[in-house]
């Protein structure tokens, strides 16, 4: 859970100030830690010891629903949803349901990673993620609200996210 919280904070910082990094990858430039896929912004994340942990990609929308995805070095995938209407208690779980028309719905216990955001674990190779990546409209339901989402370029963002993980797996950074 702590890793997801750190990822969420890093992702929000990346969205608000792209290209700003406080450490350097020993095998590549800081610019190699960030990427863009259309309007989606992403970055590689590292733990306190400088080891690669995951990559995140986000389509920020501060006035409405922000959608993002995170993939760990082990290829675990999660969907990030943030919205100003959510008033949650970080560190707790929240039941969530993800639905795409024509695909079995997916129920999960989402991690509350911010007072307005949740992280839903997903099956990265499953039909639900494939449908979302193909651009189909999908719904995410939590007790407080149902979100109907369809974001342009989601498939390319998921491809870029996977490429980020593959290119950073096993890398380390050192603080300057």
């Amino acid at each position: 859970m702590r890793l997801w919280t750190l990822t969420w904070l890093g992702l929000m910082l990346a969205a608000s100030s792209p290209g700003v990094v406080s450490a350097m990858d020993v095998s590549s430039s800081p610019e190699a830690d960030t990427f863009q896929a259309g309007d989606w912004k992403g970055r590689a994340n590292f733990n306190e010891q400088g080891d690669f942990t995951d990559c995140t990609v986000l389509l920020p929308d501060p006035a409405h629903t922000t959608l993002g995805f995170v993939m760990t070095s082990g290829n675990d995938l999660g969907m990030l949803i943030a919205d100003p209407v959510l008033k949650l208690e970080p560190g707790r779980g929240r039941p969530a349901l993800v639905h795409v028309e024509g695909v079995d719905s997916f129920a999960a216990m989402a991690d509350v990673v911010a007072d307005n955001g949740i992280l839903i674990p997903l099956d990265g190779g499953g039909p639900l993620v494939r449908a979302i990546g193909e651009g189909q409209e999908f719904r995410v339901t939590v007790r407080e609200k149902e979100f109907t989402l369809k974001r342009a370029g989601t498939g390319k963002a998921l491809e870029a996210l996977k490429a980020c993980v593959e290119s950073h797996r096993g890398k380390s950074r050192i603080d300057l």
Side-chain angles (χ1 to χ4, degrees), residues 8-133:
W8 176 259
L9 294 174
L11 185 57
M12 296 311 288
L13 289 172
S16 64
S17 56
V20 177
V21 292
S22 60
M24 182 175 172
D25 185 319
V26 294
S27 61
S28 63
S29 68
E31 294 80 27
D33 292 341
T34 62
F35 62 94
Q36 190 153 348
D39 291 334
W40 293 77
K41 295 178 176 149
R43 68 181 253 174
N45 299 297
F46 298 80
N47 65 17
E48 295 86 19
Q49 293 77 37
D51 298 322
F52 170 70
T53 56
D54 57 59
C55 288
T56 50
V57 65
L58 177 74
L59 187 59
D61 186 352
H64 301 288
T65 306
T66 293
L67 176 63
F69 294 92
V70 59
M71 182 179 280
T72 67
S73 61
N75 289 335
D76 294 325
L77 182 67
M79 178 190 305
L80 300 160
I81 303 284
D83 192 284
V85 303
L86 294 176
K87 306 293 184 225
L88 306 169
E89 186 176 335
R92 306 206 75 182
R94 179 65 96 227
L97 181 69
V98 183
H99 177 76
V100 174
E101 195 65 40
V103 178
D104 288 340
S105 295
F106 178 75
M109 185 60 71
D111 290 328
V112 177
V113 294
D115 63 354
N116 68 339
I118 60 171
L119 174 72
I120 304 167
L122 297 174
D123 175 7
L128 184 82
V129 172
R130 282 195 304 274
I132 291 170

